[in-house]
Amino acid sequence: MIVLHQVCKRYPNGVDALVDVSLQIPERDFVFLVGPSGAGKSTFIRLLIREELPTSGRVFVDGQDLARLRRRDIPYLRRKVSVIFQDFKLLPHKTVFENVAFALEVSGYSRADIQRMVPETLELVGLAQHAARFPSHLSGGEQQRVAIARALVRRPSVLVADEPTGNLDPETAAQTVQLLVRINALGTTIVFATHNSELVNTLRRRVVALEGGRVVRDQKNAGYD
């Protein structure tokens, strides 16, 4: 599903964010991306959604070389690869239903598709009963589930979670991870960037560790350290 081949990323200020990164993430995999601040995790994510291009090397998603992707085709890539952010990025004056529907509206889905797909997705994340509520009336965990629903509603092949539990208490964080485990079991590839060693140690999935822009460990059934 995802292939990075000898990828380097150097920013104009001379910082090497990624150095000779090569790895493969097959379909249906669940990967924790770990490492200290500045290790290269955010750059890795930006490459996957083509917010950045590598300085050298190649990045493939579903067989497509992202450097050769035409600008008009980038929205189609982002249907395949959705991102969940730490700060939720919900629209405060839209309801839960409207926040999730918005992801479909901007992609040109029909009203009939929206009316079918949004309730299905809210049911999956356990928020069907909150469809008419506004984000300010939800707990932090519920807001994160709205963000997950918005990322899921377009049925992406890959879900990238960028520190999704960073603003949550431990119990809510654990519930969020278990939801992502269920989503992974339904066939979605998960890339989960995190500093939370307890979650990584509890789940024991594949761990890709970055340090100084390099992959220093790639291990299955692993813990944080």
Side-chain angles (χ1 to χ4, degrees):
M1 178 56 66
I2 297 169
V3 178
L4 279 74
H5 180 67
Q6 297 181 336
V7 169
C8 298
K9 177 62 180 181
R10 172 172 285 183
Y11 287 106
N13 62 2
V15 171
D16 289 314
L18 293 175
V19 182
D20 197 27
V21 172
S22 293
L23 59 84
Q24 297 184 26
I25 300 175
E27 190 176 5
R28 294 174 175 260
D29 209 355
F30 189 118
V31 179
F32 282 115
L33 187 65
V34 305
S37 295
K41 300 190 299 297
S42 294
T43 297
F44 184 100
I45 290 169
R46 287 196 289 267
L47 290 175
L48 292 186
I49 59 175
R50 208 181 179 278
E51 281 190 1
E52 302 275 2
L53 288 170
T55 305
S56 62
R58 302 172 80 184
V59 180
F60 297 88
V61 173
D62 199 19
Q64 213 167 22
D65 185 342
L66 299 193
R68 298 184 176 183
L69 200 64
R70 294 171 298 185
R71 185 171 295 277
R72 67 172 181 262
D73 291 330
I74 293 175
Y76 296 99
L77 168 71
R78 293 176 184 167
R79 290 187 187 184
K80 293 181 184 178
V81 185
S82 282
V83 183
I84 308 163
F85 298 98
Q86 179 176 338
D87 60 356
F88 313 146
K89 298 186 184 298
L90 301 180
L91 300 169
H93 302 300
K94 288 184 179 289
T95 65
V96 167
F97 186 101
E98 290 165 346
N99 263 279
V100 177
F102 187 69
L104 298 176
E105 291 166 1
V106 298
S107 298
Y109 283 77
S110 70
R111 190 169 192 81
D113 282 340
I114 291 170
Q115 293 298 320
R116 173 178 55 83
M117 296 167 74
V118 173
E120 290 174 356
T121 308
L122 291 177
E123 185 70 37
L124 175 63
V125 302
L127 288 177
Q129 72 276 24
H130 296 320
R133 299 180 74 180
F134 291 91
S136 61
H137 298 153
L138 303 175
S139 68
E142 288 167 342
Q143 290 182 41
Q144 184 58 284
R145 281 190 277 157
V146 178
I148 292 170
R150 184 182 55 197
L152 273 179
V153 72
R154 291 185 294 189
R155 309 297 189 261
S157 304
V158 181
L159 193 58
V160 180
D162 187 8
E163 296 284 357
T165 62
N167 291 330
L168 305 178
D169 64 79
E171 182 179 352
T172 306
Q175 292 170 357
T176 299
V177 172
Q178 287 307 312
L179 173 58
L180 293 175
V181 168
R182 282 182 22 231
I183 292 165
N184 174 242
L186 293 172
T188 304
T189 305
I190 304 286
V191 179
F192 191 128
T194 185
H195 286 104
N196 192 321
S197 58
E198 185 175 343
L199 291 177
V200 178
N201 291 337
T202 299
L203 211 54
R204 310 293 295 187
R205 295 296 181 104
R206 180 181 174 189
V207 173
V208 173
L210 292 173
E211 193 171 307
R214 299 179 183 272
V215 175
V216 295
R217 182 163 62 102
D218 184 352
Q219 186 178 358
K220 292 183 179 180
N221 304 317
Y224 191 90
D225 298 318

